[in-house]
Amino acid sequence: MAEQRQLTRANLVHIDEYIFEIPQEYRADMRVPARIFASESMIDDVLIDLSAWQLVNVATLPGIQKYAYAMPDVHQGYGFPIGGVAAMAIDEGGVISPGGIGYDINCGVRLLKANVSRKQCSRYLDKIATAIFDAIPSGVGRGGRLKLKSDALDLLLRGGAPYMVQQGYGMPADLLVCEDGGIMANANPTLVSDHAKKRGADQIGTLGSGNHFLEIQYVDEIFDTAAAHAFGLEPNMVTVMIHCGSRGLGHQICTDYVRAMMQQLHTWGYALPDRELVCAPFTSSIAQDYFAAMAAACNYAWANRHMIAHWTREAWQSIMPDIQLDTVYDVSHNIGKRETHTVQNKQKQMIVHRKGATRAFGKGSIEIPAAYRTIGQPVLVPGTMGTASYVMLGTHESMDISFGSCCHGAGRIMSRAQAKKKVHGKTLRNTLESQGILVRTDSNIGLAEEAPIAYKDIEEVIKVVHGAGLASKVARLKPLAVIKGG
């Protein structure tokens, strides 16, 4: 296609302080406008890659409703931009696109809180960080302590985090504060390839590499006392944040179904502006197969974070045996969900794509765990090493302006290759440790790839999220120790 791929400010309409719009008239094949949540100071960072062009492409997909959305942490991805949200009406020819969910299916975050203060923990922190690093395998392709045979893996793919509890790992209380209780009921392991299963057989309880991490943090500041109380967070309380997904199994499922949909694309006669947007009508058999396989990957990812939390507890209590680590929340930010939303005063069944975007439902929603239903959904936003992460609160306004969605992090502004050219891993390690942040990793190169300068300013991202009403600030968490794979 010969159309302009790199958008400029001239292509945008500044709707209000935190919303920029690409009008539907920008390109003849757009079915809806595209909206970018950003501040004046951030918008140039959004335009440095092809993410805005990708968002325009998303706006062409069959069945899309209202807008194609980009969160303030948006950056270029596969087909869809990372930080993209799109809701397709199932009864209006809506499609599901694997690229709109991502290769790391159900990459997400689990937050634990420890009944100990930063000061009480300080003298043990070095030993705790080392114990956790030794207990949680991390790195590219790295397997874990559990080696699941075929039958057990199928049970896990169907049963998610509840299956792990049945096997004696973690606590039933963990499931009560986990998105969907840690299980998608429509999962079908028979629709997951043997190759995907082989890749996932030994990776439960492992972090992986890239931007995945485990971080020991503390509550630096509380902005909403009532919400913080509901979540059990107090000033200077120590927390643990786990960020990872479905590892090689989820990646292979996405790869398998992208290929399968490519082979059938001619069937539906779609004129896609980018083949990476390959999709299928949600009601088609291939789409239903993908959705059930995706659900199996989601269950794997919830089981993975659950297992990491279990081993983290064991490692911590080997150093401080009286300390309890309770789950605050576990939420996905790479997922497709069937949801009901109101569009022009009409309720519609949607397949909502959130790729690098987090659910942010307001209080009263039945999708929120009962413990938080009267206050609203916790929204977990991991930041970058050496900066901060945030706990936020879903809002009713978010339901209206973004199908109940929020950002999922800071968002890259620099590729991994660029970061490695600008940052020396050992120097970064020394810098972090000079700031009092312990680092546990086998790879200084991997550390450099995830340097803070490779990401947007998390404070500005949160300012947009809060100001736009996507979610409201509850607490800021600052790092004490970073554990990463290479």
Side-chain angles (χ1 to χ4, degrees):
M1 238 182 185
E3 88 281 0
Q4 174 188 0
R5 291 165 62 96
Q6 195 84 40
L7 275 71
T8 68
R9 279 180 176 250
N11 303 124
L12 307 178
V13 177
H14 203 168
I15 300 297
D16 66 22
E17 186 176 5
Y18 298 117
I19 298 177
F20 292 80
E21 184 170 304
I22 305 167
Q24 191 173 345
E25 295 75 26
Y26 170 73
R27 213 169 73 194
D29 56 348
M30 292 175 69
R31 299 173 189 263
V32 294
R35 284 200 160 179
I36 301 168
F37 293 97
S39 63
E40 177 67 30
S41 64
M42 289 180 67
I43 194 63
D44 287 334
D45 285 340
V46 174
L47 300 173
I48 61 175
D49 60 20
L50 298 182
S51 54
W53 176 77
Q54 289 184 323
L55 193 67
V56 169
N57 292 342
V58 171
T60 72
L61 292 176
I64 190 167
Q65 301 292 302
K66 294 176 74 170
Y67 302 94
Y69 294 101
M71 298 296 113
D73 57 336
V74 67
H75 53 289
Q76 187 175 331
Y78 180 89
F80 276 57
I82 299 166
V85 176
M88 283 67 167
I90 294 171
D91 293 338
E92 297 176 23
V95 296
I96 189 168
S97 173
I101 290 158
Y103 277 88
D104 192 3
I105 298 167
N106 190 5
C107 184
V109 182
R110 179 173 288 213
L111 183 68
L112 310 176
K113 60 184 179 183
N115 61 328
V116 66
S117 71
R118 176 189 181 189
K119 183 177 180 179
Q120 292 169 319
C121 180
S122 59
R123 62 181 290 197
Y124 303 100
L125 185 61
D126 190 287
K127 289 182 178 180
I128 291 170
T130 299
I132 294 174
F133 180 67
D134 291 342
I136 311 298
S138 59
V140 178
R142 180 89 181 272
R145 288 188 266 167
L146 284 182
K147 308 289 192 281
L148 298 175
K149 293 184 178 179
S150 178
D151 290 349
L153 181 57
D154 282 356
L155 289 171
L156 183 150
L157 293 177
R158 214 177 275 280
Y163 173 78
M164 304 311 293
V165 173
Q166 292 166 14
Q167 302 309 301
Y169 301 113
M171 302 183 295
D174 295 326
L175 307 177
L176 300 178
V177 285
C178 183
E179 182 180 357
D180 290 338
I183 180 174
M184 287 187 77
N186 65 301
N188 187 344
T190 67
L191 298 171
V192 177
S193 70
D194 289 341
H195 188 194
K197 290 178 181 179
K198 184 177 180 180
R199 293 184 68 180
D202 69 344
Q203 291 189 335
I204 283 292
T206 67
L207 272 177
S209 59
N211 65 344
H212 297 156
F213 66 84
L214 186 152
E215 202 168 86
I216 302 172
Q217 309 161 325
Y218 71 97
V219 178
D220 171 63
E221 187 172 357
I222 286 176
F223 305 96
D224 183 332
T225 303
H229 179 74
F231 300 162
L233 299 175
E234 301 173 1
N236 290 307
M237 171 182 272
V238 175
T239 60
V240 177
M241 183 172 280
I242 299 163
H243 176 215
C244 63
S246 51
R247 302 293 323 273
L249 179 134
H251 194 284
Q252 191 61 47
I253 287 172
C254 186
T255 299
D256 292 341
Y257 281 92
V258 164
R259 289 173 180 165
M261 287 185 188
M262 284 284 191
Q263 293 171 2
Q264 296 189 32
L265 196 55
H266 65 280
T267 306
W268 306 295
Y270 297 148
L272 298 178
D274 182 356
R275 283 178 63 82
E276 291 183 357
L277 288 173
V278 63
C279 54
F282 186 70
T283 54
S284 67
S285 59
I286 185 67
Q288 288 299 298
D289 287 354
Y290 165 70
F291 191 55
M294 181 215 75
C298 288
N299 290 345
Y300 184 97
W302 274 314
N304 187 31
R305 291 194 291 275
H306 185 87
M307 198 70 234
I308 291 172
H310 172 75
W311 281 332
T312 296
R313 283 181 178 129
E314 285 191 342
W316 194 297
Q317 290 173 344
S318 72
I319 309 299
M320 299 183 75
D322 296 330
I323 300 305
Q324 180 66 42
L325 275 71
D326 296 318
T327 301
V328 177
Y329 198 55
D330 184 304
V331 68
S332 171
H333 52 231
N334 274 7
I335 202 165
K337 286 287 189 71
R338 285 193 68 145
E339 297 172 2
T340 300
H341 290 276
T342 302
V343 178
Q344 295 177 340
N345 297 318
K346 181 181 178 182
Q347 285 200 326
K348 297 185 179 185
Q349 284 286 314
M350 308 279 202
I351 176 67
V352 182
H353 300 68
R354 293 186 181 91
K355 179 183 179 181
T358 305
R359 260 188 178 185
F361 284 11
K363 65 181 180 180
S365 172
I366 60 171
E367 286 90 348
I368 300 173
Y372 301 140
R373 202 165 292 160
T374 59
I375 192 79
Q377 181 209 304
V379 177
L380 306 178
V381 183
T384 58
M385 293 182 298
T387 58
S389 298
Y390 275 81
V391 179
M392 306 190 78
L393 182 69
T395 66
H396 284 300
E397 189 176 357
S398 178
M399 303 299 286
D400 293 333
I401 64 175
S402 65
F403 293 111
S405 307
C406 175
C407 72
H408 84 308
R412 295 195 78 96
I413 54 173
M414 191 182 294
S415 71
R416 287 182 168 85
Q418 289 172 324
K420 284 189 291 186
K421 289 179 181 178
K422 288 184 174 292
V423 179
H424 191 275
K426 187 175 180 180
T427 302
L428 176 58
R429 182 197 289 261
N430 292 337
T431 299
L432 291 171
E433 293 192 340
S434 71
Q435 296 169 356
I437 302 169
L438 301 181
V439 178
R440 296 291 183 271
T441 180
D442 286 329
S443 171
N444 283 331
I445 293 175
L447 202 64
E449 290 177 347
E450 300 303 317
I453 66 165
Y455 287 83
K456 298 173 186 176
D457 178 2
I458 187 66
E459 300 298 334
E460 189 67 16
V461 169
I462 296 301
K463 175 184 171 184
V464 172
V465 169
H466 185 86
L470 297 171
S472 62
K473 294 190 295 184
V474 175
R476 179 169 56 223
L477 312 176
K478 287 199 169 180
L480 294 170
V482 176
I483 296 163
K484 290 185 62 65

